[in-house]
Amino acid sequence: SQELEQSPQSLIVQEGKNLTINCTSSKTLYGLYWYKQKYGEGLIFLMMLQKGGEEKSHEKITAKLDEKKQQSSLHITASQPSHAGIYLCGAVAGGTGNQFYFGTGTSLTVIP
Amino acid sequence: NAGVTQTPKFRVLKTGQSMTLLCAQDMNHEYMYWYRQDPGMGLRLIHYSVGEGTTAKGEVPDGYNVSRLKKQNFLLGLESAAPSQTSVYFCASSFYTGELFFGEGSRLTVL
């Protein structure tokens, strides 16, 4: 099965600080997706990366996919309490291409 | 536009009881998924469907059955609930694999 490892498992930062979350795959990724989950709610799609070296930004969140397409990072600049939640990376499994797997998640707490 | 709706949102069962979780989407999506989320284990895929009348096993299918008789509905059944099935269950749908739209979750406790 596709395995996605995320680090760190949890993160506590002071408001205004920058932070990075990593997602590593044991296999080449054909697409890497980032989602955010507010506590007790469903997941919300953030962005998708497909090409090696690709980088996308939305407001203060930037995601990158490395050239080998096995590692992605999510960077938040000047964190705010609204950024708090669980961040999960997801990818389509090889083979049938229909199974969508998630990493174990990173819990982010932002202290005002 | 309701998106993805899960019912019920909360349920408490006794060991051995059966129940069905219903997922309904109004976006005409082909793909639908059932996941369970447990502390420290992220989201694990139970079963999925790539179209009406089709279902397939995911990562942790044992103890669950699914049906997709209508395109907009994806049912997850537990025939004989066990305490190990205590979890939060999420349904998701998509046009293609990748950008999934999620329901708000169903919290199931098996005593």
Side-chain angles (χ1 to χ4, degrees):
Chain A
S1 65
Q2 187 88 21
E3 289 188 0
L4 296 171
E5 290 191 10
Q6 283 186 239
S7 62
Q9 190 173 10
S10 65
L11 204 50
I12 302 173
V13 300
Q14 201 77 36
E15 183 177 358
K17 295 294 186 184
N18 302 335
L19 63 105
T20 300
I21 298 168
N22 295 301
C23 175
T24 303
S25 171
S26 57
K27 302 177 182 178
T28 300
L29 297 164
Y30 294 97
L32 190 286
Y33 301 78
W34 283 100
Y35 286 80
K36 178 187 175 183
Q37 181 182 25
K38 289 186 178 180
Y39 296 106
E41 299 181 11
L43 279 70
I44 298 171
F45 171 77
L46 293 176
M47 55 189 88
M48 172 183 72
L49 304 164
Q50 285 190 307
K51 299 178 182 177
E54 187 176 6
E55 179 176 320
K56 286 187 178 178
S57 294
H58 176 68
E59 296 181 342
K60 294 184 178 179
I61 300 176
T62 300
K64 300 179 184 179
L65 183 62
D66 75 339
E67 290 289 344
K68 290 185 178 180
K69 299 203 296 184
Q70 286 190 281
Q71 187 167 15
S72 178
S73 61
L74 185 82
H75 183 78
I76 298 177
T77 303
S79 58
Q80 301 170 351
S82 60
H83 288 128
I86 300 173
Y87 289 82
L88 297 100
C89 60
V92 178
T96 65
N98 293 325
Q99 297 191 44
F100 193 86
Y101 290 96
F102 287 91
T104 50
T106 296
S107 175
L108 172 63
T109 302
V110 180
I111 301 172
Chain B
N1 190 348
V4 179
T5 303
Q6 293 181 228
T7 53
K9 289 185 170 47
F10 300 93
R11 185 73 188 269
V12 178
L13 289 177
K14 293 182 180 178
T15 298
Q17 287 185 320
S18 63
M19 75 158 294
T20 300
L21 294 174
L22 170 63
C23 177
Q25 53 95 2
D26 61 2
M27 296 172 282
N28 202 34
H29 286 167
E30 290 292 338
Y31 291 58
M32 295 188 76
Y33 305 81
W34 275 109
Y35 292 89
R36 59 178 289 173
Q37 185 175 35
D38 303 290
M41 301 193 74
L43 282 161
R44 291 183 292 170
L45 181 63
I46 305 172
H47 286 279
Y48 64 100
S49 168
V50 299
E52 181 179 312
T54 74
T55 62
K57 294 179 180 180
E59 193 180 0
V60 288
D62 294 341
Y64 305 94
N65 56 75
V66 288
S67 64
R68 183 104 181 264
L69 299 179
K70 292 183 179 180
K71 187 177 182 179
Q72 64 267 33
N73 295 335
F74 195 28
L75 278 64
L76 178 72
L78 286 72
E79 289 187 350
S80 181
S84 61
Q85 293 178 304
T86 293
S87 187
V88 181
Y89 292 85
F90 286 97
C91 175
S93 70
S94 64
F95 278 120
Y96 56 90
T97 48
E99 188 169 349
L100 275 60
F101 293 79
F102 280 81
E104 294 184 350
S106 297
R107 187 175 296 274
L108 174 66
T109 301
V110 182
L111 303 175

